[in-house]
């Protein structure tokens, strides 16, 4: 294999902000990290994590996860049209980097394209082993105008560094939160504002219900609040409003603020029949009007009728006109309590 000698020189990497693109510490206030999350820190002060570019070995062949390899399995799995477009993107990036780093000029459609690549061959261990990331509590800025920063960006977006998620949204979706994420300012702001939009919509719906539809608000409270039995028709509307305000803020049964706001909006979007039946099922379960038995199914305690395996099954069962008698019995029993 032909290789080219090179010296990697990076001046002041990540030290001066000249770009909005940065690797930042990721912390989830819902997940404990020795208290560091309370201070917006991923690591203890002064500590950095260093990671070399990841590689995979199969049958003695080493493949670096660079995002610049048109022979990578993830590229092969693409549909033909997308695959062709992605290969051209990769080759365009390789051409620019080879020109900047090795003064090597290659044509994109050259049939010997990869044979003419000097530095960025997928199996050039000498080159790829020198690509690494060092991250701490301070942002590491990456400038796409700098070739080695550009290489790192491609690698991060391809998953080449286990400690760095390819975006804020990607970091949020991982079962095990990463230490860092790639922050492309516009994308991250958009993701962060998603919750604010959701929260504001939930508060707007709460106010509209308070002003114009107190009955629906009563049922929603019963559906989303873990302590549904506390609500009766005599419960002051201001109390329900206050509890729902706290629920949306993540101070109720659902501590995740985004899920709480979404849960409230989902309840608002339900029709009155579904809301009422859900409320009936919640309270019927609490007062043992419906019970779980050892066989794993839920039964109507008065008639011993099988209702289903879970709450969703019970709701669908009660919506069926053939089961109207059971529904009427549960409504009468629950409303007797609600009206006290």
């Amino acid at each position: 294999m032909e290789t080219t000698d090179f010296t990697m020189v990076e001046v002041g990497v990540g030290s001066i902000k000249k770009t909005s693109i940065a690797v930042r510490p990721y912390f989830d206030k819902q997940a404990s990290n020795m208290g560091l999350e309370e201070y917006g820190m991923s690591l203890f002060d002064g500590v950095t994590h260093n990671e070399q570019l990841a590689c995979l070995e199969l049958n003695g062949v080493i493949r670096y996860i660079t995002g610049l390899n048109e022979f990578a399995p993830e590229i092969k799995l693409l549909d033909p049209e997308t695959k062709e477009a992605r290969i051209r993107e990769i080759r365009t990036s390789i051409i620019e980097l080879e020109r900047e780093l090795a003064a090597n000029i290659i044509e994109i459609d050259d049939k010997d394209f990869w044979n003419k690549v000097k530095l960025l061959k997928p199996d050039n261990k000498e080159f790829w082993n020198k690509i690494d990331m060092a991250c701490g509590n301070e942002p590491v800025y990456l400038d796409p105008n700098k070739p080695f920063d550009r290489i790192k960006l491609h690698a991060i977006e391809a998953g080449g560094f286990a400690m760095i998620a390819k975006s804020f949204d990607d970091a949020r979706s991982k079962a095990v939160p990463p230490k860092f994420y790639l922050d492309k300012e516009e994308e991250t702001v958009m993701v962060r504002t998603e919750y604010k939009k959701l929260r504001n919509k939930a508060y707007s719906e709460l106010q509209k219900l308070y002003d114009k539809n107190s009955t629906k608000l009563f049922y929603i409270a019963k559906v989303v609040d873990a302590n549904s039995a506390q609500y009766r028709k005599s419960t002051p509307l201001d109390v329900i409003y206050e509890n729902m305000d706290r629920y949306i803020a993540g101070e109720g049964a659902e501590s995740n603020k985004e899920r709480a706001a979404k849960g409230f909006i989902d309840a608002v979007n339900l029709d009155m029949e579904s809301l009422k039946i859900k409320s009936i099922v919640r309270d019927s379960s609490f007062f043992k009007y419906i019970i779980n038995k050892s066989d794993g199914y839920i039964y109507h305690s008065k008639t011993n009728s099988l209702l289903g395996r879970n709450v969703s099954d019970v709701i669908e069962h009660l919506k069926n006109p053939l089961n109207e008698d059971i529904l009427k019995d549960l409504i009468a029993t629950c409303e007797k309590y609600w009206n006290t």
Side-chain angles (χ1 to χ4, degrees), residues 9 107 112 138 159 181 187 216 226 251 310 312 331 336:
V9 178
E107 294 296 327
D112 295 317
E138 295 300 318
Y181 70 96
E187 292 180 7
K216 188 169 186 178
E251 298 173 11
N310 51 48
S312 297
I331 289 175
K336 183 178 180 180

Side-chain angles (χ1 to χ4, degrees), residues 86-97 99 108 113:
R86 183 72 185 103
I87 287 175
R88 291 193 75 83
E89 287 178 17
I90 290 172
R91 289 195 174 193
T92 299
S93 297
I94 293 289
I95 287 170
E96 293 172 353
L97 290 165
R99 183 177 63 244
I108 194 168
F113 182 88

